[in-house]
Amino acid sequence: MTYRPTVRGRRLARELRKLREEQGLTLQEVADRLDWSRATVSRLETSQTRPKPGDIADILDLYGVPSPDRDALITLARQAGQRGWWTAYQDVFAGSYVALEDEASHIRTWDPQLVHGLLQTEPYSRAVITAGRLLPAQEDIERRIAARKIRQALLDRADAPRLQVIFDEAVLRRPIGGEEVMRAQLTALATAARNRPTVTIQVLPYSAAAHAGLDGRFTILSYPDPADPDIAYVEGTMGDVYLESAEEIAKHRDRFDRIEAAALSPEDSAHLIAEAARSSP
């Protein structure tokens, strides 16, 4: 089963690399002393393999890490190794995004094409998945629909993350799934904006002309623990990119702030969404 690293897994990997570098050891030296392969050590430091508490204990013993730090890192390994709900949908979720989204406290996303997946109605999702994924069988479509429903439960939690969504006005005008499906989707968006205190929806109007979001969609994930840095996620047809450097995160925050400033206010956006729903045939 392919390992999808969680936020805790990525934090553990950073700590392991930091500890090794503090000891002045190379990957090969660690591997030789533990009688492991160099690749095994590398995969643990880059979150490419599920951490086993016993292996982590061996590494920490090698580095001479005392308790309580040792105990805390072994506990982190246990938490990182736990399988989340998404592991039952390995065939649907190709990357780590859902595992990272599941632990976020703040999700900021810009999309010029579609309603965000967490806010999609089932008929809208079905139309998007059918048109965009080119899936061979109806059962593949239904499985993706089921996975998306479970993913959307994130917004119903007591500790639901703050979701800040900005999309282009074109999203309101493109009748994905037909007029009836689109009208229901717009109504659901208006309801979410009105009734979900953790959800903020803004629309970038056509009048904004050239803007900071022309390079395409992206998402910034933030976390409650300061030890976990923001992650910028850029999805593409040729693969997903996860950016964590301070410089890249700063650039994407600035881009989002500029798009937010150019967008309609949440109140004006809600009016535009409701108007679009009423005017849909």
Side-chain angles (χ1 to χ4, degrees):
M1 182 177 289
T2 303
Y3 175 56
R4 312 294 187 208
T6 62
V7 173
R8 292 179 179 85
R10 294 166 85 93
R11 188 195 310 169
L12 176 64
R14 289 194 302 272
E15 289 297 325
L16 292 177
R17 180 174 181 175
K18 177 182 175 183
L19 287 168
R20 176 179 60 77
E21 291 175 343
E22 288 175 349
Q23 294 293 317
L25 297 172
T26 66
L27 289 170
Q28 189 61 57
E29 287 171 336
V30 173
D32 290 343
R33 296 188 188 188
L34 293 174
D35 197 22
W36 294 353
S37 69
R38 182 183 184 281
T40 296
V41 182
S42 177
R43 285 195 294 268
L44 284 172
E45 288 191 6
T46 53
S47 296
Q48 294 182 48
T49 189
R50 190 180 302 279
K52 298 177 181 178
D55 290 343
I56 301 305
D58 289 343
I59 292 178
L60 298 179
D61 288 344
L62 174 63
Y63 297 159
V65 178
S67 293
D69 291 344
R70 181 181 186 278
D71 298 335
L73 289 171
I74 292 174
T75 298
L76 192 61
R78 291 195 182 96
Q79 295 171 340
Q82 293 174 352
R83 290 178 169 85
W85 65 265
W86 54 85
T87 58
Y89 293 92
Q90 294 280 355
D91 55 320
V92 173
F93 301 117
S96 301
Y97 177 78
V98 174
L100 300 174
E101 178 187 72
D102 196 68
E103 298 184 57
S105 58
H106 188 187
I107 303 169
R108 284 166 282 184
T109 185
W110 153 251
D111 196 325
Q113 296 285 346
L114 296 170
V115 171
H116 193 277
L118 290 174
L119 298 174
Q120 291 179 7
T121 63
E122 181 177 336
Y124 185 95
S125 291
R126 190 180 304 279
V128 170
I129 291 169
T130 301
R133 295 289 180 174
L134 304 177
L135 297 172
Q138 185 64 31
E139 63 185 39
D140 296 319
I141 296 173
E142 296 304 324
R143 184 156 174 75
R144 288 182 176 274
I145 293 293
R148 184 155 298 186
K149 284 182 179 179
I150 297 175
R151 177 188 165 202
Q152 290 176 340
L154 175 65
L155 296 183
D156 295 322
R157 295 179 186 172
D159 61 343
R162 180 186 174 196
L163 176 63
Q164 197 173 358
V165 174
I166 307 175
F167 52 76
D168 195 88
E169 184 177 349
V171 173
L172 305 181
R173 311 303 180 189
R174 182 175 293 109
I176 290 177
E179 301 293 351
E180 184 176 344
V181 168
M182 196 62 203
R183 182 168 56 251
Q185 175 64 79
L186 294 176
T187 300
L189 278 178
T191 300
R194 183 172 59 251
N195 296 337
R196 287 188 178 273
T198 61
V199 174
T200 301
I201 301 173
Q202 290 178 261
V203 178
L204 185 74
Y206 289 141
S207 59
H211 56 82
L214 291 175
D215 282 344
R217 62 183 175 179
F218 64 93
T219 297
I220 302 172
L221 302 173
S222 301
Y223 300 93
D225 194 321
D228 300 317
D230 287 0
I231 297 172
Y233 168 72
V234 181
E235 182 180 4
T237 55
M238 300 303 292
D240 301 339
V241 178
Y242 300 87
L243 305 170
E244 297 182 68
S245 73
E247 181 181 1
E248 291 290 352
I249 293 299
K251 286 180 180 178
H252 280 76
R253 283 201 203 101
D254 181 61
R255 284 182 64 196
F256 190 87
D257 290 345
R258 290 171 182 268
I259 297 168
E260 182 182 12
L264 298 175
S265 68
E267 294 75 20
D268 289 342
S269 296
H271 291 315
L272 183 60
I273 293 168
E275 178 186 333
R278 288 192 299 269
S279 62
S280 182

